[in-house]
Amino acid sequence: MKIGVLGGTFDPVHNGHIIVADQGRLQLGLERVLFVPAGQPWLKTDRKITAAVHRVNMVKLALASYPYFEVCTVEIDRSGASYSVDTVSTLHVQ
């Protein structure tokens, strides 16, 4: 199964995220795209971001009509800063 991963703070999620994910899905022939909201983005430690639970809920609402998109909370479920290499390693094992 070909799966894409789109990570970000999603604060807030917007149409640009949906368009990029959908174009990637179509052009790369992906069966699914995982939206991975950042837990603690290491590049944004100097600013306030919306609580993770609210960002996850915003993404879930935005993706409700797209059956090939889903939310993955792997970064939010672990503690510490969010790094893509850790996320990809975790997803690879699952």
Side-chain angles (χ1 to χ4, degrees):
M1 178 181 294
K2 290 177 75 174
I3 300 173
V5 178
L6 180 64
T9 309
F10 303 120
D11 192 17
V13 64
H14 53 75
N15 288 335
H17 295 118
I18 304 293
I19 291 167
V20 166
D22 202 37
Q23 285 301 305
R25 180 185 67 86
L26 293 171
Q27 292 182 27
L28 299 172
L30 304 174
E31 295 175 48
R32 289 192 298 163
V33 177
L34 302 178
F35 280 64
V36 183
Q40 294 179 302
W42 65 275
L43 284 174
K44 296 186 178 180
T45 58
D46 61 334
R47 57 187 112 153
K48 184 170 172 59
I49 60 171
T50 303
V53 65
H54 299 305
R55 292 184 290 115
V56 168
N57 287 334
M58 283 190 285
V59 175
K60 285 180 180 179
L61 287 170
L63 304 183
S65 61
Y66 300 92
Y68 36 81
F69 293 161
E70 69 181 73
V71 179
C72 175
T73 59
V74 66
E75 288 193 4
I76 290 171
D77 295 340
R78 75 170 169 253
S79 62
S82 298
Y83 296 100
S84 298
V85 66
D86 296 329
T87 300
V88 171
S89 294
T90 301
L91 292 173
H92 182 71
V93 170
Q94 294 178 353

